[in-house]
Amino acid sequence: MAELTTIARPYAKAAFMFAKEQNALAEWEQMLGLAAAVAQEATMRAYLDQPELDSETQAKAIGDVCGDELNESARNFIAQLADNKRLALLPTIAMLFHELAAEDQRTIDVELIAPFELEDAETDKLVTALKTRLGRNVQVSTSVDESLIGGVLMRAGDTVIDGSVRGRLNRLAEQLNS
């Protein structure tokens, strides 16, 4: 995984810089996300992995499936990836592009995991606290994990805040065993 990220990073940065110059970050994020989804699809992967296909045919296949959703610059970007035999990196490039755009816009994606569906007031309170702690705008997604018993588990990039009862019990058990 680290190797793919290392190889994909220059492509993501190049796309990000171009999109930023064109004031089209949201458009490029959407186009890269679509192209990545198409490239990841099992049938398309099997088609693209055929050794007899040249890079032009591979790029055209992705462009044809994406249709009018890709502009000419995005098609050229995908052609460059195909020429360099890097189409398999599209999902990683899209992920890195998203991270660069979020950093530029001072936003962060946060996942809130609770043992039950959170009410809007509770979510808003957590978002306010996270904005203060992280110093960024927060985009929240929520999910339910009944094994948490109580409390909330928050994931924001590499930061994990475990306020769940299960997490507290595990920390208590570690302290008792040490």
Side-chain angles (χ1 to χ4, degrees):
M1 174 82 172
E3 186 176 315
L4 290 179
T5 302
T6 302
I7 296 168
R9 188 170 285 116
Y11 293 102
K13 283 184 180 178
F16 173 77
M17 295 303 289
F18 180 80
K20 189 168 180 169
E21 285 175 11
Q22 302 298 314
N23 199 21
L25 287 175
E27 179 185 4
W28 266 82
E29 189 166 359
Q30 185 176 13
M31 290 187 297
L32 286 174
L34 174 64
V38 168
Q40 270 185 308
E41 199 276 322
T43 307
M44 180 60 82
R45 265 196 339 257
Y47 176 75
L48 294 174
D49 288 342
Q50 295 178 31
E52 66 271 6
L53 291 182
D54 63 356
S55 62
E56 185 177 323
T57 305
Q58 290 175 326
K60 185 176 178 339
I62 291 179
D64 289 347
V65 172
C66 292
D68 294 338
E69 297 296 315
L70 297 181
N71 65 22
E72 193 61 34
S73 298
R75 290 178 186 275
N76 290 339
F77 181 73
I78 290 171
Q80 284 297 313
L81 291 175
D83 286 344
N84 294 318
K85 307 217 181 306
R86 301 288 192 234
L87 284 175
L89 295 177
L90 265 169
T92 307
I93 292 169
M95 177 198 65
L96 292 170
F97 184 95
H98 174 74
E99 289 174 3
L100 289 168
E103 182 70 30
D104 184 65
Q105 297 168 351
R106 303 277 308 146
T107 61
I108 190 163
D109 295 328
V110 175
E111 181 182 14
L112 299 176
I113 306 166
F116 49 84
E117 197 67 38
L118 293 173
E119 294 180 15
D120 290 341
E122 294 170 319
T123 303
D124 292 343
K125 186 176 177 182
L126 289 169
V127 166
T128 302
L130 286 169
K131 279 182 183 180
T132 303
R133 180 169 180 174
L134 300 173
R136 295 176 176 210
N137 291 324
V138 176
Q139 296 178 346
V140 175
S141 64
T142 60
S143 60
V144 174
D145 180 357
E146 294 174 359
S147 70
L148 291 179
I149 305 170
V152 178
L153 179 68
M154 295 172 260
R155 290 190 181 124
D158 292 339
T159 304
V160 176
I161 302 170
D162 189 354
S164 68
V165 172
R166 182 180 65 190
R168 290 178 187 170
L169 289 173
N170 288 342
R171 285 190 297 277
L172 179 62
E174 286 177 17
Q175 289 175 350
L176 291 173
N177 289 330
S178 60

